[in-house]
Amino acid sequence: MPSADPALALPIIDLSGYLAPQAPGDRERVIAEVRDAACQYGFFQVRGHGVPLSLQRDLPRCMDNLFNLPAAEKLEMSFLKNPCRRGYEAAGMSHRVGDPLPDAKECFFIGQEDAAVELSGFYGPNVWPNLADADFRGPVWAYYQHTRDLGRSLWAILLEGLRQPAALVDTFAQRPVVPMKMIRYPPHRTVQPGQLGIGAHTDFGGITILFQQPGKDGLEVWHETREEWIEVPAREDLYVINCGDMVERWSGGAYKSARHRVINKVDGERLSCATFWHGDVYATNPLRPDDPDKETIGQLLVKRFRTQYSINKETIAQVGMV
């Protein structure tokens, strides 16, 4: 059950003081607020982020256009058929070890658009549905670019919170892996007993930038100290940001990677969209160049998805795994 304490809530941080400071100390205030939230919760909410409200409002329309396509047409775009693991994931295809049932959600993945498949699919072209540009690709691609740029700024803020220069992000993100996942959850009344939209988990990689369809709650974050779930209301123009396992490890545990889950609490479908900002495939921990653990971002990706996505031996070998 979620916490009954109304005072237990994720902080809301106005990023405009960092992105467009108006007075001395604005940037430092934002850096301190983000640092404190990442240390305490591993999660925080942001406004003043620079993503146009018009794109946020249009995103659910575009996602509905996609998810309302016939099932056979969606399955033709299956991410399992795509070397870059872009495209459609049907409900029930994601099942974490320990969960009694698979996730109830369906998803659609895009990423940075490249002309050709490289590194066994870490880079490559997207899959786009057969919809008018204005009904999906145009608005979705514009939205993706804004959240991609926001992710770089958030990494810079987190680095400065550790007394590192913001420019350090360039050392591990010359060509970052930045996938985006659009998600539709079915009405709560239609799922099986014990089945969640997304079961409790931590994100494995870098920073997650989450859009929640306003007014349609579902996200809960685990507070380790209090041993309680924190409900995160879905509000317009507020993004939920969280640190993944890689951020926790790179920061030496200063920043937390917190468990979270999704339970659709509304009598209807619920939409969300997550942009995951990792870094370069061969990048290692920039905060500890002498770290004996030389695990790369590419190795993290393969480790996380090698069974779920049936990653081939060529990909595994290219990132230096066996």
Side-chain angles (χ1 to χ4, degrees), residues 6-260:
L8 189 60
L10 296 184
I12 299 173
I13 301 169
D14 187 347
L15 293 183
S16 63
Y18 183 92
L19 299 174
Q22 300 296 312
D26 280 357
R27 288 172 59 91
E28 291 74 16
R29 172 184 52 79
V30 174
I31 292 167
E33 290 177 355
V34 168
R35 179 195 64 227
D36 292 347
C39 289
Q40 181 177 356
Y41 298 100
F43 270 79
F44 51 95
Q45 302 172 89
V46 298
R47 61 162 67 99
H49 40 67
V51 181
L53 187 56
S54 59
L55 285 177
Q56 297 176 55
R57 288 175 172 170
D58 204 26
L59 184 64
R61 178 187 69 88
C62 295
M63 291 172 64
D64 276 336
N65 290 337
L66 167 78
F67 288 123
N68 288 337
L69 289 171
E73 189 171 341
K74 289 187 288 188
L75 289 171
E76 279 299 310
M77 298 182 287
S78 173
F79 73 106
L80 295 176
K81 300 178 181 179
N82 184 273
C84 302
R85 292 164 292 281
R86 315 277 177 93
Y88 178 69
E89 177 188 300
M93 293 184 69
S94 179
H95 194 174
R96 272 167 298 279
V97 175
D99 285 357
L101 294 166
D103 292 345
K105 69 185 188 308
E106 57 181 329
C107 307
F108 194 85
F109 298 87
I110 69 167
Q112 182 60 42
E113 188 80 66
D114 293 291
V117 176
E118 299 177 51
L119 277 179
S120 298
F122 280 109
Y123 304 108
N126 286 308
V127 175
W128 297 105
N130 186 24
L131 292 165
D133 185 78
D135 288 337
F136 190 79
R137 182 171 181 169
V140 167
W141 181 245
Y143 176 88
Y144 171 83
Q145 290 176 301
H146 277 281
T147 56
R148 180 196 60 198
D149 294 345
L150 174 60
R152 183 176 287 272
S153 297
L154 287 164
W155 261 113
I157 294 170
L158 287 168
L159 289 168
E160 291 196 72
L162 297 172
R163 302 185 184 278
Q164 298 291 328
L168 189 64
V169 69
D170 296 328
T171 66
F172 65 90
Q174 292 294 314
R175 197 181 179 190
V177 176
V178 185
M180 188 173 88
K181 177 166 70 172
M182 291 161 272
I183 309 167
R184 182 166 76 171
Y185 302 93
H188 183 63
R189 56 183 164 75
T190 66
V191 302
Q192 301 178 57
Q195 187 177 36
L196 304 179
I198 299 180
H201 67 287
T202 60
D203 290 348
F204 73 95
I207 297 170
T208 303
I209 302 163
L210 178 68
F211 165 88
Q212 300 190 91
Q213 187 175 14
K216 298 198 173 184
D217 298 349
L219 177 64
E220 296 180 355
V221 175
W222 182 248
H223 192 285
E224 195 69 39
T225 303
R226 296 276 295 266
E227 297 187 339
E228 292 182 281
W229 289 102
I230 305 172
E231 289 188 292
V232 187
R235 298 174 180 168
E236 186 172 72
D237 208 26
L238 276 184
Y239 279 89
V240 181
I241 312 299
N242 68 282
C243 301
D245 297 343
M246 186 181 79
V247 176
E248 181 174 290
R249 184 172 67 83
W250 280 10
S251 68
Y255 295 148
K256 290 183 178 179
S257 176
R259 283 197 301 150
H260 50 288

